[in-house]
Amino acid sequence: MTTAVWVSLLAGVVVAATPLLLAAAGELVCERAGLLNLGVEGMMAVGAVCGFIAAFHSGNPYVGLLAGVGAGALCGLLFAWLTVQLVADQVATGLALTILGHGLSGFIGHGYAGESIKGLAAIPLPGLSQIPVLGPILFDHSLPVYLALLLVFGVHWFLTRSRAGLTLRSVGEDPKVSYSLGLRVYAVRYAAAVFGGAMAGFAGAFLSTTYTPMWAEGMVAGQGWIAVGLVVFATWRPLRLLFGAWLFAGVGIGQLFSQAAGLALNTYLLSALPYLAVLVALVLISRDPLRIRLNTPASLGRPFRAET
């Protein structure tokens, strides 16, 4: 392939990785606080439909993105209320939210199936977008793509350099000790869950307003599950999300290019490649259980109830 084709391919990978980065960064913060949210897929679906409807009626994709963030945040708030306040099982609650999100998005978006909107235009960064090869790959995209990249570095700084990040990590390690030290465990977990939901909603709204500016039921297509797996793949370290998201997005974009090139490969196999890549990556990571134990938040998925 020519250089131009490779540049186009890699630029497509960066864009395709954006919803994975957004959802995975939110889930990583949530899990660092000790909450295992398996409802990312459903939250993305709700964010996608709410974002599209808002953009469709307002004529402004940015309004759609904000609506998706708000819808996702409400889903995160619901998850926090059930798992933090009512101490419901986190795995069961997350799965229920995924089912609810898919059903609700299909119901709300039924009348908008097949409709399309004008998506966000690319905003080339002055100077940077003119860099040969690297410029078109990283610096000639729409605003959400840049925000997703900044989010990863922002989450890294927050967790490793800020006092609030240290508090969140301590809650995720041992909420009982944190509570005994006077830390607001409930408030921290609520905030983490709402942030995770907001980022999942943002990811879904990006899909329906920017990546493919239209609404179709099932358009999230398992990306929420990939985002959850990506957190494990990154061993709960934000900067590793970049490599994982680009890897998994590259597999998906690669299968589209292979189809365009006329390679005689089974269509269903090509569609399954991103999910197979996640499974293979997780299997390889699980071969080193010590690394997983050292990085996994100690209280992940465990309920906490304040002593009275």
Side-chain angles (χ1 to χ4, degrees):
M1 292 190 292
T2 64
T3 301
V5 173
W6 277 110
V7 168
S8 178
L9 173 62
L10 295 176
V13 168
V14 172
V15 176
T18 296
L20 296 178
L21 285 176
L22 292 170
E27 175 65 10
L28 188 146
V29 170
C30 194
E31 293 191 13
R32 278 290 200 168
L35 295 175
L36 178 60
N37 183 4
L38 298 182
V40 177
E41 178 84 1
M43 293 178 177
M44 286 182 66
V46 172
V49 69
C50 291
F52 179 81
I53 292 175
F56 182 81
H57 288 288
S58 67
N60 189 335
Y62 289 106
V63 173
L65 292 175
L66 291 176
V69 170
L74 289 177
C75 292
L77 183 62
L78 175 61
F79 176 80
W81 179 69
L82 291 171
T83 58
V84 178
Q85 203 72 38
L86 302 184
V87 201
D89 182 86
Q90 295 178 20
V91 173
T93 302
L95 293 176
L97 281 177
T98 289
I99 297 171
L100 174 64
H102 277 300
L104 186 62
S105 63
F107 175 76
I108 296 175
H110 178 72
Y112 297 88
E115 297 286 354
S116 61
I117 60 174
K118 184 179 180 180
L120 292 177
I123 305 176
L125 298 183
L128 295 176
S129 62
Q130 305 302 318
I131 299 175
V133 181
L134 189 62
I137 294 175
L138 292 177
F139 306 116
D140 191 8
H141 300 291
S142 60
L143 181 61
V145 177
Y146 304 134
L147 292 179
L149 296 174
L150 291 175
L151 176 66
V152 173
F153 291 99
V155 168
H156 171 74
W157 176 87
F158 172 77
L159 291 175
T160 60
R161 297 289 186 267
S162 70
R163 183 180 181 86
L166 178 61
T167 299
L168 183 141
R169 288 164 55 195
S170 66
V171 168
E173 292 297 326
D174 196 327
K176 292 183 179 180
V177 172
S178 300
Y179 185 78
S180 68
L181 294 175
L183 299 180
R184 302 176 64 185
V185 174
Y186 284 152
V188 169
R189 288 194 162 184
Y190 259 91
V194 170
F195 176 78
M199 292 302 98
F202 190 3
F206 173 81
L207 288 174
S208 63
T209 64
T210 306
Y211 191 62
T212 54
M214 59 174 292
W215 165 251
E217 187 175 354
M219 68 183 306
V220 177
Q223 293 196 55
W225 294 112
I226 294 179
V228 174
L230 183 56
V231 175
V232 181
F233 174 83
T235 58
W236 293 271
R237 297 183 180 182
L239 295 183
R240 293 184 180 181
L241 291 178
L242 276 175
F243 173 74
W246 287 344
L247 173 64
F248 300 143
V251 174
I253 292 294
Q255 59 102 358
L256 295 178
F257 270 76
S258 65
Q259 288 178 329
L263 295 180
L265 297 176
N266 186 280
T267 304
Y268 298 104
L269 175 61
L270 290 174
S271 299
L273 283 180
Y275 312 103
L276 291 175
V278 174
L279 290 175
V280 171
L282 293 179
V283 168
L284 293 176
I285 289 292
S286 65
R287 296 178 63 185
D288 188 0
L290 178 60
R291 176 181 297 179
I292 293 180
R293 286 199 300 269
L294 289 175
N295 292 285
T296 306
S299 69
L300 181 62
R302 299 178 182 177
F304 168 75
R305 188 184 295 275
E307 297 180 1
T308 57

